[in-house]
Amino acid sequence: MHILHVVGARPNFMKAAPVMRALSLLPGVRQTLVHTGQHYDANMSDVFFQELEIPAPDVNMQVGSGSHAQQTAEIMTRFEPVVLEHKPDLVLVYGDVNSTVAALLVCSKLLVRVGHVEAGLRSFDRTMPEEVNRLVTDQLSDLLFTPSEDGNRNLAREGIDASKVHLVGNVMIDTLIRMLPRAAERLQSWLPDRFALVTLHRPSNVDDLPWLVQMLETLQQIGRDVMVVFPVHPRTRQRLAEAGVNRFAANHLRLLDPLPYLDFLALQTRATLVITDSGGVQEESTYLGIPCLTVRENTERPITVDMGTNILVGRDLGRVRSEFESIVSGHPKGGARPPLWDGKAAGRIAQIVCGKC
């Protein structure tokens, strides 16, 4: 059996790594890894392959940046001959990025079976490009692997055949659990006992320069109580420059370059709280039991709010400040780990794949 994996952005690598590892343990499985090149910055892509011990891609399409339409179209154009050449029995796609839906559309036209890892997540906000990618991918996939029960409910509501849907748990947590011992070796001596870890990258946040300036002012205020550590995504770095970020530089607000996965995970394990608009960070902080403030109006990972440590604060910076004060004063929201977030999701996927193909 020949399985072809498609990855393109940083979260995909963390999801594909344990699945590839689990499939490699089964007899008769051959695997091909295709990197679309949707993320092409070394700190956002190359180093992840090294840290996660993913083999070098068999194909790197080097698509690069562009509008959503341009990027999706370019991936489709370059991916079709790859599928025709390799003739896989199954293509596995991950998450909700443009690489995911582009590969899915190519395979659907060529009648190649597709499995979607991290299926069923919904924000119910179609202004998010990722939501459109999720909806299309789940409608056309042959196998749908969900991380939590809410994903199954969403797919049932959309009329997806239940025989295609498999609740397996969260492969991101597989990677986190495996990497925790190595992350502990990366702790930085300059870190104080208490600090807030910040990530911001969504266009709806960082492209709104007046809001971004106010957010930096809020982080500066927070930093007077607890140091703020902010690894800055390349897109966010560009917007911060446009916003005159130099005037925010201070010892208690540390702006860093994008971090490799292990370094970022090390920071998460030690953080007093996390402020983010990232989906994956919501999940990781819930597993780690770290309070998380998500600066979005909605989340496709509601289980992190319902069961975990996550609080949706929207873009209300007054709410960010008040929830921060509650956490640092010793009153964080409690949370629990969702079912099947146990480090064994990839093994479940491997067994299902081998039974279905």
Side-chain angles (χ1 to χ4, degrees):
M1 176 172 48
H2 181 197
I3 298 174
L4 188 149
H5 305 261
V6 179
V7 297
R10 172 173 171 155
N12 297 162
F13 312 145
M14 292 180 278
K15 295 163 190 169
V19 177
M20 294 188 71
R21 191 174 300 109
L23 286 166
S24 72
L25 301 176
L26 300 179
V29 175
R30 180 164 62 94
Q31 301 185 75
T32 297
L33 179 61
V34 175
H35 182 8
T36 67
Q38 182 175 331
H39 274 175
Y40 51 91
D41 179 274
N43 280 339
M44 300 296 288
S45 176
D46 295 352
V47 72
F48 272 60
F49 283 88
Q50 301 162 18
E51 291 190 339
L52 299 175
E53 299 174 347
I54 304 175
D58 299 283
V59 179
N60 191 330
M61 300 195 304
Q62 299 180 327
V63 167
S65 62
S67 72
H68 285 283
Q70 291 169 334
Q71 193 175 65
T72 302
E74 191 64 32
I75 293 168
M76 292 178 68
T77 300
R78 299 190 190 192
F79 184 60
E80 183 179 45
V82 173
V83 177
L84 292 172
E85 176 186 351
H86 288 271
K87 298 179 173 61
D89 298 298
L90 178 72
V91 171
L92 287 180
V93 298
Y94 299 83
D96 55 19
V97 298
N98 289 337
S99 298
T100 304
V101 72
L104 177 281
L105 289 171
V106 169
C107 291
S108 296
K109 299 284 188 178
L110 297 177
L111 304 181
V112 175
R113 287 165 59 82
V114 175
H116 182 203
V117 178
E118 198 182 71
L121 301 186
R122 297 290 182 270
S123 68
F124 304 101
D125 178 1
R126 294 198 184 188
T127 67
M128 296 176 62
E130 297 90 345
E131 183 76 353
V132 176
N133 292 347
R134 295 180 201 115
L135 288 161
V136 173
T137 302
D138 285 343
Q139 280 294 324
L140 297 178
S141 291
D142 300 281
L143 295 171
L144 298 102
F145 301 108
T146 60
S148 50
E149 184 61 43
D150 56 292
N152 291 56
R153 292 194 296 270
N154 292 334
L155 296 173
R157 186 167 48 248
E158 293 166 12
I160 304 294
D161 184 347
S163 67
K164 298 179 178 181
V165 180
H166 304 274
L167 176 60
V168 295
N170 193 328
V171 291
M172 284 271 288
I173 302 304
D174 289 20
T175 294
L176 183 150
I177 291 172
R178 186 170 185 269
M179 294 297 174
L180 274 175
R182 289 176 57 190
E185 302 169 1
R186 301 290 188 96
L187 293 176
Q188 302 295 319
S189 59
W190 54 264
L191 284 173
D193 291 336
R194 301 205 303 171
F195 65 93
L197 178 62
V198 177
T199 76
L200 295 170
H201 73 282
R202 292 192 178 274
S204 57
N205 281 334
V206 302
D207 289 357
D208 183 348
L209 292 187
W211 181 89
L212 187 61
V213 169
Q214 292 176 32
M215 182 64 181
L216 265 289
E217 291 172 346
T218 299
L219 295 178
Q220 213 176 21
Q221 295 167 9
I222 287 173
R224 298 189 184 108
D225 299 317
V226 171
M227 177 187 282
V228 174
V229 180
F230 187 177
V232 185
H233 186 282
R235 181 190 189 100
T236 311
R237 175 73 69 179
Q238 181 180 349
R239 298 297 181 266
L240 289 177
E242 295 170 14
V245 71
N246 288 339
R247 67 188 178 89
F248 293 106
N251 290 334
H252 51 261
L253 175 57
R254 300 196 62 156
L255 303 179
L256 309 179
D257 289 333
L259 293 176
Y261 177 67
L262 286 174
D263 289 335
F264 185 79
L265 181 56
L267 290 178
Q268 274 199 94
T269 62
R270 284 275 307 279
T272 303
L273 75 155
V274 176
I275 301 172
T276 190
D277 58 11
S278 161
V281 172
Q282 295 172 52
E283 294 175 327
E284 291 167 341
S285 58
T286 276
Y287 180 86
L288 294 169
I290 305 297
C292 179
L293 305 181
T294 297
V295 284
R296 290 170 50 186
E297 301 297 336
N298 51 57
T299 178
E300 65 283 354
R301 294 162 170 86
I303 196 167
T304 64
V305 177
D306 298 339
M307 287 190 65
T309 58
N310 188 21
I311 299 174
L312 280 180
V313 295
R315 286 158 44 91
D316 181 345
L317 300 182
R319 180 92 187 274
V320 171
R321 178 74 194 194
S322 64
E323 294 291 353
F324 162 80
E325 290 172 350
S326 179
I327 291 167
V328 298
S329 65
H331 300 93
K333 176 191 174 188
R337 293 173 181 171
L340 299 182
W341 289 25
D342 57 3
K344 301 177 182 178
R348 297 183 189 103
I349 291 172
Q351 292 297 326
I352 293 166
V353 164
C354 288
K356 295 286 185 179
C357 292

